[in-house]
Amino acid sequence: MSGITDFDSLRRAMAENSQRPEGPVRNARAEQLLVEAERLGIPLAVIEALGHQLKVYNYSSEKDKMFVPFARLLRMWDERPGDFDEYEVHSLHWVFKWMSSGMLDQPHVPLASIEKWLGEMEHRYRLAGHSERAVRSAEFSVAAHIGDIARAERAYAAWLAADRDSMADCPACELHGQGWWQAERGRDAEALLLWRPVLEGEFTCAHEPHTVLASSLVPLLRLGRTDEARANHLRGFRLVRSMESMRGAYADHVEFCALTGNEARGLELLAERPAYFTDTGHPRSRLDFLSVVTLLMERLDEAALGDREVPGPAGRTWTARELATHARAEALALAARFDERNGNAYVSDRVRARVAQRPLVERLPLGVRATRPVSAPPVARPAAVTADVPDLPALLAAARRLSHTLQPNAMDAWAAVSRAAEGVELDARERAEIADHEAMDRGPEGAALFERAAELYEEAGDLGEALAARTRAAYVCALSGRVDEALAAVEEPYDQVLALYADDATGVRQTASVLMGRARVLMRRVQEAGEPAEETVLADAESAVRELLALVGGYTGGDVRIASREAEAQAMLADLAVRGGDLETAVELFGRATAGFVGAGLPWFAVEYETRLAGLAHHLGDISGAERALRAALEHGGANLEAVGRAQLHLQLAEVLGGRGLSVEAAEHALEAAHWADVAGEGPTLGAWARQQLGGFLLRQERWAEAAEVLESALPDLSAETHGDGAVVQTQWWLGDCLSELGEHRAAAERRLQAAEIAKEWPEQHDHATLAHLAAESLGAAGLPVEADRAYARAGDLWRSLGNVHGLVRSLRARAWLALRAEDGTGAARELMAGAVRECETVLRTAGADEEARQRLVAELGHTHRQFGDLLARSATEDADDDSIRAALEDALSEVTEAIAVFASLGDEALHSRTGAELAAGWLEADLARPSRAATRAQAVLAAYDGADPEDETARARQAEAEQMLQVVEEQGAG
């Protein structure tokens, strides 16, 4: 059985089909429903079924199927116009516009046929008495498509000049087309001005702001408004993701990714829609899609990623290079078909221009996770020199200059010296320096090389530098965990260098190097000792550091290596102060250390200690100090910061700023943190943290769609093991809030229920109760009353166990309203609301001395009586007998009157609540045919607001409603 037995069941089936996702399944069902309509033998049923078929074809990838049902509809109209009702007459003329654009999108339809159709459309619209606005809009589309700019401008002007009527596209769609033309003509700012009402939600429709958000991306990038472009991408892609008919807008989002360094995101988009490569029902959007696929793949090939496997048409695997070739050929072949139809090369020229675009932004972080990361080609670190033929003396001079000034790329320079020196005879000093720096580059594995360097320094006659190299070997030993061995190894160089320095046989730099090495070993012993360290261990380390400071403190020479020793020594003392629990002193000393490094021209060395300083300041409650230190660390690190360090600093700063309520700037730093975490390969760990925080900051700004996109992106990587179950729950909670605001209530309920399942295992159950309650709200809004009632009952039990009467009462009230919606649910609704009243009264009888808590309970009781009254009034259905209706209204009035008394007991704090209840009682009095009593209540409200602040919107609304009530009851009394 088909289930279609009459016209009403057909209409219900078409309405249900309209709610299905766009695509072949919905189209096939529309075709079945047309067959069923024909069996009914009712002409209007067939007309409506054909209109339904037209609509689902138009909003799908099978737009080419529209022409047959429309031709049939038009024939039926010409033969028997009386079979059409008013709505179907309007729909028939409305669909003329779909036909004109549909023909334009199909290259096999001759241009002459399209022009003829325009004339037919104009003729029929004139006969029907419609404005020419829609006709001129259609003419503009034809002229713009074939590149007849002069005609397009004339049609555009005529379109805007004609009166809007019922055949004009909705304001949102019209503004999209007008803005598109401005952008097409290079007037991006004008385009965005036209689009503003759509972007801001003033005008919407089934496909808007979807297409405007997509169309705005490149104009925003061209204007340098990258933050808006990012936001529109995240908002817009969320809207078009599930809509099969939006391939053109989808292509705009892929293009955006290709032009902003987000190739990985672009690949994700392609992977989500494999059918877009091959669906042929709408050639023009396929042309758009293939064009941006070519653009993206050629970008990857330029980045030396042409051999990378990418998503493409089904049936084989594709590399980026192969897909670029394939997509370009397909796009140009399709463009050639349009050009052949149009009689020029305009479409092909546009395709070539689109594919040839260059990136508009080198790097635009989006904050979302890319599961197919695209690695940029490795960037060589700066070398000492770039001459074609290595000049060893020049390389040596450059390496010495860089190492003497402690530049970050000094090791690379010495590596270049080492390579250039192979097979070249060097003196002992030069060989010592090469070995010394190679040892430094090897870290813990460089001990033997340090010893070799020491021997060579001795051979060169520099005993002080030899002792410094041996001290470095000892420190490497300490880093390997052999602290005692390192201490023993450092004592001899220490004694010897002091003797040499006393005899002026070595300089301050070499002596400071040995003293620093010894201090580092002793600090390592402090770290190995754990907490608390023995006093002698701490004292030895402090003594060594102060000895170093006595040597280099106040140094004013030009050797930055000596100046850096003093700064590092201050940082060591700060570490020791932390160990001793003197955090204020530690903050001061870390401040000296960072100032020392910056003053020496070595700001990148300050970053580590500024980070420590930020942590201490935060711990001490000095949020401004923490913020200053983190900003300084980012500034001083500059390009020398490793990606993971940059991510950590941005994330810490985001958290600090977020704690101060600066969610806009906090979001910017969380976004940077997510980007750099991905670059560092830490996307699933640190990156997930950053995305979670970013989503929260966007939510605080009520940027619901962007926040949802980011939070959904973070969830797959968040785990209880790595991030803690609290982070997972918070993310689900935030996401549920976003989805609720976006009207995606079923999805919001799922997120809230998932979070509640985790929270139910926690010792403290308040979050569990809150999430259960929120999930119930979402289930109710999603039209699932049974599931909502169950969730409210669960929440109510939890609220009761927590002793939270407010939560319990609100859950009971919500269940009462759900029950009222059910068939024969009035009795259950009354009992639940009465139960809510009893809960309030019971707690009030045993309330303690906390007056604020008591007043909150009284207010809750007042609101419950008020809702009880509203519920009873709504239970009086129109089909009930007069006595039943009157009884329900009397009961409602009794509850509302009780609410008025309760609110009155709270004085001015509950004025608005009291007057709202007073007005509700007045309307009930009027319904019960008691105009004088209603008037008395209205006058009481007016008296309550005598002398009220004119800026008080609630007061003004109450006064207006009271005046309206007086007018109604006056007319009622006169009648």
Side-chain angles (χ1 to χ4, degrees):
M1 291 292 292
S2 68
I4 308 299
T5 57
D6 54 26
F7 203 169
D8 286 342
S9 60
L10 174 69
R11 283 173 165 164
R12 285 194 299 272
M14 290 190 293
E16 290 170 4
N17 195 44
S18 293
Q19 298 305 311
R20 287 190 170 95
E22 295 177 354
V25 173
R26 186 169 77 157
N27 294 355
R29 178 59 174 158
E31 291 160 5
Q32 292 172 356
L33 290 174
L34 176 58
V35 174
E36 298 287 352
E38 290 167 337
R39 288 175 180 161
L40 294 177
I42 303 171
L44 184 58
V46 176
I47 290 167
E48 289 189 13
L50 284 166
H52 175 64
Q53 198 177 77
L54 265 170
K55 182 177 181 180
V56 299
Y57 284 156
N58 185 57
Y59 293 113
S60 79
S61 62
E62 298 180 310
K63 291 178 185 285
D64 55 335
K65 291 185 175 183
M66 289 193 301
F67 303 110
V68 172
F70 181 73
R72 183 177 173 186
L73 267 176
L74 197 58
R75 186 173 64 252
M76 292 175 72
W77 167 254
D78 288 337
E79 293 173 356
R80 296 173 59 90
D83 289 342
F84 288 70
D85 63 13
E86 183 179 354
Y87 178 80
E88 293 305 326
V89 172
H90 177 275
S91 296
L92 176 71
H93 286 81
W94 183 268
V95 174
F96 266 87
K97 299 181 297 181
W98 293 358
M99 292 303 105
S100 62
S101 63
M103 290 177 180
L104 201 61
D105 296 339
Q106 305 289 335
H108 69 275
V109 179
L111 191 60
S113 298
I114 297 172
E115 296 286 5
K116 181 181 178 182
W117 179 258
L118 272 176
E120 177 76 7
M121 179 180 175
E122 184 171 10
H123 172 68
R124 288 181 179 265
Y125 271 40
R126 189 181 301 112
L127 287 177
H130 295 307
S131 162
E132 67 171 12
R133 189 177 182 93
V135 178
R136 298 286 78 83
S137 172
E139 182 188 5
F140 161 76
S141 297
V142 173
H145 170 68
I146 65 176
D148 187 341
I149 306 302
R151 182 186 179 191
E153 292 283 19
R154 290 194 303 272
Y156 181 89
W159 167 23
L160 269 62
D163 293 335
R164 278 190 58 81
D165 68 351
S166 61
M167 282 298 111
D169 282 341
C170 76
C173 288
E174 283 207 330
L175 288 173
H176 173 248
Q178 294 161 18
W180 173 85
W181 182 241
Q182 298 303 321
E184 190 73 12
R185 302 302 296 151
R187 300 185 285 264
D188 291 332
E190 289 87 342
L192 288 159
L193 196 61
L194 282 164
W195 287 331
R196 183 187 294 169
V198 184
L199 293 172
E200 293 180 352
E202 182 180 344
F203 299 122
T204 61
C205 70
H207 278 187
E208 294 299 349
H210 313 43
T211 56
V212 164
L213 285 164
S215 297
S216 72
L217 298 174
V218 171
L220 284 168
L221 291 174
R222 287 195 294 244
L223 291 171
R225 292 159 61 175
T226 53
D227 289 343
E228 293 173 70
R230 177 196 300 112
N232 286 4
H233 169 63
L234 294 177
R235 284 177 60 202
F237 181 67
R238 185 173 188 82
L239 292 173
V240 304
R241 171 181 269 147
S242 62
M243 298 178 71
E244 184 191 65
S245 63
M246 302 293 284
R247 180 163 54 182
Y250 203 100
D252 291 339
H253 287 281
V254 176
E255 177 182 45
F256 166 82
C257 295
L259 297 177
T260 58
N262 286 290
E263 293 86 355
R265 170 78 166 174
L267 293 179
E268 290 297 312
L269 269 56
L270 297 187
E272 286 193 29
R273 279 289 184 180
Y276 276 173
F277 287 98
T278 52
D279 283 344
T280 58
H282 190 236
R284 188 145 67 151
S285 69
R286 183 165 184 257
L287 178 62
D288 290 335
F289 186 75
L290 290 170
S291 299
V292 299
V293 168
T294 306
L295 171 66
L296 178 60
M297 294 306 126
E298 292 185 355
R299 285 284 303 130
L300 292 174
D301 200 18
E302 289 173 17
L305 294 164
D307 294 326
R308 171 179 181 146
E309 186 175 322
V310 295
R316 56 162 287 187
T317 58
W318 295 87
T319 65
R321 189 176 299 111
E322 291 167 342
L323 185 56
T325 302
H326 169 80
R328 178 180 277 273
E330 289 276 303
L332 289 175
L334 187 50
R337 290 176 57 202
F338 279 103
D339 287 344
E340 183 180 4
R341 189 268 302 275
N342 298 341
N344 58 30
Y346 185 70
V347 174
S348 291
D349 290 345
R350 283 172 51 80
V351 168
R352 290 190 178 92
R354 192 170 195 180
V355 169
Q357 290 178 100
R358 305 308 301 162
L360 294 168
V361 181
E362 183 180 350
R363 178 184 71 85
L364 181 61
L366 302 178
V368 290
R369 163 184 183 265
T371 57
R372 299 168 176 266
V374 173
S375 301
V379 179
R381 296 177 68 178
V385 294
T386 57
D388 293 337
V389 179
D391 181 337
L392 185 54
L395 286 171
L396 264 170
R400 284 170 175 157
R401 184 179 66 254
L402 292 170
S403 59
H404 290 172
T405 54
L406 301 178
Q407 298 300 305
N409 54 347
M411 291 302 173
D412 290 336
W414 281 106
V417 170
S418 179
R419 290 190 298 271
E422 290 179 10
V424 178
E425 186 174 343
L426 303 173
D427 63 30
R429 176 76 192 191
E430 292 163 342
R431 284 182 287 140
E433 288 176 287
I434 292 172
D436 201 4
H437 287 92
E438 185 179 346
M440 295 177 195
D441 204 28
R442 289 192 182 186
E445 298 175 0
L449 266 175
F450 277 129
E451 292 292 348
R452 175 60 181 156
E455 293 170 1
L456 290 167
Y457 281 128
E458 285 183 4
E459 185 180 334
D462 191 339
L463 297 180
E465 203 60 61
L467 294 171
R470 289 202 168 92
T471 305
R472 287 191 280 275
Y475 180 53
V476 163
C477 183
L479 290 176
S480 302
R482 307 196 309 274
V483 176
D484 290 340
E485 183 180 334
L487 281 171
V490 83
E491 286 308 315
E492 184 177 346
Y494 167 68
D495 291 338
Q496 290 179 357
V497 82
L498 289 178
L500 287 173
Y501 183 66
D503 292 340
D504 289 330
T506 193
V508 173
R509 181 176 58 77
Q510 291 86 351
T511 306
S513 183
V514 173
L515 294 184
M516 175 56 77
R518 181 169 177 269
R520 285 173 175 170
V521 171
L522 287 164
M523 288 296 295
R524 190 72 186 174
R525 185 170 70 161
V526 170
Q527 294 164 11
E528 297 260 329
E531 297 280 0
E534 295 179 13
E535 286 190 19
T536 55
V537 172
L538 294 171
D540 288 347
E542 183 175 353
S543 175
V545 174
R546 294 198 180 280
E547 183 179 14
L548 171 62
L549 279 172
L551 176 68
V552 299
Y555 175 76
T556 57
D559 192 331
V560 299
R561 291 172 293 181
I562 299 175
S564 74
R565 301 301 188 200
E566 180 178 5
E568 187 177 347
Q570 298 286 3
M572 288 176 169
L573 289 179
D575 271 327
L576 292 170
V578 171
R579 292 265 174 179
D582 188 354
L583 302 187
E584 288 81 2
T585 298
V587 166
E588 180 186 350
L589 289 167
F590 275 131
R592 290 185 199 169
T594 59
F597 282 121
V598 174
L602 304 169
W604 49 89
F605 282 110
V607 172
E608 175 186 350
Y609 306 111
E610 283 162 337
T611 306
R612 297 280 305 280
L613 181 58
L616 284 173
H618 198 278
H619 180 77
L620 291 169
D622 181 8
I623 305 303
S624 296
E627 181 185 337
R628 284 194 302 273
L630 290 167
R631 290 188 189 279
L634 281 167
E635 178 189 349
H636 293 148
N640 297 305
L641 276 173
E642 294 288 336
V644 68
R646 190 183 298 272
Q648 290 168 337
L649 286 171
H650 277 296
L651 185 55
Q652 287 176 266
L653 185 52
E655 291 170 348
V656 168
L657 292 167
R660 292 183 54 206
L662 303 173
S663 57
V664 173
E665 189 180 358
E668 294 170 0
H669 286 285
L671 179 67
E672 287 293 318
H675 169 76
W676 289 110
D678 289 343
V679 170
E682 297 287 338
T685 50
L686 184 59
W689 268 120
R691 276 182 264 281
Q692 194 250 12
Q693 291 293 301
L694 173 59
F697 296 135
L698 291 170
L699 178 142
R700 290 188 201 177
Q701 299 171 57
E702 299 185 359
R703 294 160 66 176
W704 312 113
E706 295 167 70
E709 196 72 12
V710 170
L711 292 168
E712 285 175 342
S713 174
L715 266 175
D717 290 327
L718 289 170
S719 68
E721 295 75 22
T722 303
H723 305 91
D725 55 7
V728 178
V729 167
Q730 183 65 81
T731 306
Q732 297 275 25
W733 193 328
W734 280 338
L735 183 52
D737 290 348
C738 291
L739 295 171
S740 178
E741 293 289 342
L742 293 168
E744 300 175 36
H745 298 297
R746 187 185 291 262
E750 290 174 4
R751 295 302 185 183
R752 288 166 166 175
L753 288 170
Q754 288 165 2
E757 278 300 297
I758 300 172
K760 76 177 184 181
E761 303 299 331
W762 294 352
E764 208 290 314
Q765 287 289 284
H766 186 273
D767 285 344
H768 181 200
T770 303
L771 285 162
H773 200 114
L774 290 170
E777 289 180 2
S778 294
L779 289 165
L784 300 168
V786 175
E787 293 83 352
D789 182 73
R790 192 159 50 238
Y792 275 126
R794 173 185 176 186
D797 290 342
L798 289 164
W799 291 129
R800 188 185 297 279
S801 70
L802 290 167
N804 187 321
V805 68
H806 298 280
L808 172 59
V809 166
R810 289 167 191 176
S811 68
L812 288 168
R813 293 198 308 238
R815 292 182 66 195
W817 285 108
L818 285 171
L820 187 65
R821 287 159 51 186
E823 191 174 348
D824 299 325
T826 302
R830 280 175 172 255
E831 181 52 40
L832 285 162
M833 199 65 84
V837 171
R838 287 194 298 272
E839 293 292 346
C840 283
E841 292 174 339
T842 299
V843 175
L844 270 172
R845 282 195 294 270
T846 58
D850 186 337
E851 184 58 25
E852 184 179 346
R854 183 185 173 283
Q855 289 198 335
R856 285 184 61 229
L857 281 168
V858 171
E860 198 73 76
L861 176 61
H863 289 301
T864 305
H865 278 300
R866 169 65 197 276
Q867 285 201 34
F868 201 172
D870 291 345
L871 181 140
L872 291 167
R874 293 191 194 181
S875 71
T877 57
E878 292 181 1
D879 56 355
D881 60 77
D882 290 347
D883 290 342
S884 297
I885 293 174
R886 188 170 189 84
L889 294 179
E890 291 284 9
D891 289 346
L893 181 58
S894 175
E895 290 294 335
V896 176
T897 302
E898 192 67 38
I900 294 168
V902 173
F903 289 135
S905 72
L906 294 172
D908 291 343
E909 292 297 316
L911 174 63
H912 292 330
S913 297
R914 177 171 65 82
T915 55
E918 193 81 67
L919 289 167
W923 291 117
L924 287 168
E925 299 278 19
D927 289 340
L928 288 164
R930 300 168 186 162
S932 61
R933 293 188 185 181
T936 299
R937 293 189 183 275
Q939 287 160 355
V941 171
L942 291 173
Y945 288 114
D946 187 29
D949 181 354
E951 299 299 316
D952 187 333
E953 292 184 8
T954 303
R956 292 206 310 270
R958 294 279 194 270
Q959 289 168 321
E961 187 177 350
E963 295 285 1
Q964 180 190 9
M965 185 179 296
L966 286 173
Q967 183 179 349
V968 168
V969 297
E970 182 180 348
E971 294 170 357
Q972 189 180 53

